[in-house]
């Protein structure tokens, strides 16, 4: 008996034995030669593996249908959001607008705004008379320190939202200061000096047509301030000189101890 398909390596031959069946085919010729032919076995492990690979198919998860939103509704929602953000935004950037104002026989007000057209994010009324602060500023540099205490057992608020402050002007205690909301009178003053980027001046006592001017003239000073945040308990505002020379003439420090 002759074997036509014969391997030179035992390993390959055993592999063929494993996955293929050998059958004998007898020819009717005179030589009666018998040949072994290879036939593919459907019951072999190789066939089972192929069938399993064909049957296993990756089925992608069904997609969720997203709600269809019209472009007009989306645009209207974005426009309303941007409008409300510009009106009610109260945060402060590193560069802010600072305005000092007060009647000559009244008390000093400080207002810090992110932009001149926005309402102030921080407005405070000092116990110092306006005339006294003007004299201090005429003599040289002015350092105003506002100090408040931490509340124990209560939820801590943001530093700019503290209601009461101890005030020091160039190291001298000057009573207490109060954080205020921007009312109609304060807003009229800020709107009247809105076009001014930097400068100082005097407005008449009844510049808005109301009042008799008994408190004297309204003194105003406006400038750009640099805001520096040390921590959640300390901030500082430094007045920026337009020429960039020299130190700030006016600085305001907020400290919570």
């Amino acid at each position: 008996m002759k074997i036509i398909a014969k391997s030179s390596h035992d390993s390959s031959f055993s592999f063929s034995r494993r996955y293929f069946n050998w059958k004998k085919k007898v020819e009717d010729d005179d030589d009666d030669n018998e040949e072994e032919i290879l036939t593919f076995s459907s019951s072999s492990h190789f066939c089972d593996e192929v069938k399993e690979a064909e049957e296993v198919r990756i089925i992608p998860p069904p997609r969720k249908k997203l709600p269809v939103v019209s472009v007009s509704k989306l645009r209207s929602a974005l426009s309303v959001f941007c409008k409300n953000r510009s009106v009610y935004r109260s945060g402060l950037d590193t560069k802010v607008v600072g305005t000092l104002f007060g009647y000559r026989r009244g008390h000093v007000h400080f207002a810090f705004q992110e932009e001149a057209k926005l309402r102030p994010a921080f407005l405070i009324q000092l116990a110092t008379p306006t005339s006294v602060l003007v004299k201090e500023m005429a003599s040289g540099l002015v350092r105003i320190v506002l100090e408040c205490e931490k509340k124990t057992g209560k939820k801590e608020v943001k530093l700019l939202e503290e209601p009461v402050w101890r005030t020091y002007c160039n190291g001298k205690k000057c009573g207490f200061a109060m954080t205020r909301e921007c009312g109609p009178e304060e807003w009229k003053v800020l709107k009247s000096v809105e076009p001014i980027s930097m400068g100082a001046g005097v407005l008449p006592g009844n510049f808005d047509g109301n009042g008799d001017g008994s408190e004297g003239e309204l003194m105003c000073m406006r400038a750009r301030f640099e805001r520096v945040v040390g921590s959640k308990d300390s901030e500082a505002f430094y007045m920026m000189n337009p020429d960039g020379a020299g130190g700030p003439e006016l600085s305001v420090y907020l400290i919570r101890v």
Side-chain angles (χ1 to χ4, degrees):
M1 178 173 59
K2 288 183 179 182
I3 299 176
I4 297 175
K6 188 175 182 182
S7 173
S8 61
H9 300 284
D10 295 338
S11 60
S12 61
F13 185 75
S14 61
F15 177 81
S16 64
R17 287 282 187 180
R18 180 180 177 184
Y19 291 106
F20 299 92
N21 292 333
W22 295 83
K23 292 183 180 181
K24 293 180 180 180
K25 181 181 178 182
V26 180
E27 295 183 353
D28 296 334
D29 55 356
D30 297 336
D31 297 334
D32 295 333
N33 294 329
E34 296 179 355
E35 296 180 356
E36 285 188 341
I37 58 176
L38 289 172
T39 60
F40 188 75
S41 176
S42 62
S43 61
S44 64
H45 297 288
F46 181 78
C47 184
D48 294 341
E49 293 176 0
V50 172
K51 285 185 177 181
E52 290 179 0
E54 291 179 351
E55 292 177 357
V56 175
R57 295 178 182 177
I58 299 175
I59 302 175
R63 288 187 176 183
K64 295 182 179 180
K65 294 183 178 180
L66 298 176
V68 179
V69 181
S70 62
V71 178
S72 59
K73 289 184 179 181
L74 183 60
R75 286 179 179 175
S76 61
L78 288 174
S79 62
V80 171
F81 171 76
C82 294
K83 184 178 179 181
N84 291 340
R85 187 184 177 190
S86 62
V87 173
Y88 297 106
R89 183 176 52 182
S90 60
L92 286 177
D93 204 350
T94 55
K95 301 293 188 298
V96 300
V97 179
T99 307
L100 183 152
F101 62 94
Y103 290 99
R104 189 178 295 274
R105 288 187 288 272
H107 297 283
V108 179
H109 293 72
F110 260 117
F112 290 104
Q113 304 163 270
E114 186 174 0
E115 295 179 9
K117 61 183 179 181
L118 298 178
R119 288 187 172 269
F122 182 63
L123 176 63
I124 192 167
Q125 179 180 350
L126 306 179
T128 307
T130 306
S131 57
V132 175
L133 184 60
V134 170
K135 291 179 181 178
E136 289 285 343
M137 294 183 68
S139 61
L141 304 179
V142 176
R143 303 287 183 266
I144 297 176
V145 179
L146 303 175
E147 187 180 274
C148 66
E149 294 181 356
K150 290 184 178 180
K151 307 294 190 300
T152 57
K154 294 183 180 180
K155 186 178 180 180
E156 193 173 272
V157 299
K158 294 180 180 179
L159 184 62
L160 297 181
E161 296 176 357
E162 289 286 352
V164 183
W165 306 82
R166 286 189 299 269
T167 309
Y168 300 89
C169 182
N170 288 343
K172 296 180 292 186
K173 191 172 182 180
C174 302
F176 290 87
M178 304 289 293
T179 303
R180 297 187 55 177
E181 294 290 334
C182 184
E185 294 183 2
E186 290 82 10
W187 184 239
K188 286 180 182 178
V189 175
L190 295 176
K191 291 297 289 183
S192 64
V193 296
E194 181 179 332
I196 303 171
S197 59
M198 185 172 188
V202 177
L203 295 175
N206 56 350
F207 72 97
D208 56 352
N210 298 325
D212 54 359
S214 59
E215 293 184 344
E217 299 171 327
L218 181 67
M219 308 183 68
C220 301
M221 188 194 73
R222 168 164 280 202
R224 298 285 295 179
F225 282 77
E226 181 182 3
R227 177 183 179 228
V228 179
V229 179
S231 66
K232 65 176 182 178
D233 297 324
S234 63
E235 291 188 21
F237 296 89
Y238 301 97
M239 191 174 73
M240 301 170 61
N241 294 324
D243 54 359
E249 297 179 1
L250 176 62
S251 303
V252 182
Y253 301 90
L254 283 69
I255 303 172
R256 179 161 52 193
V257 295

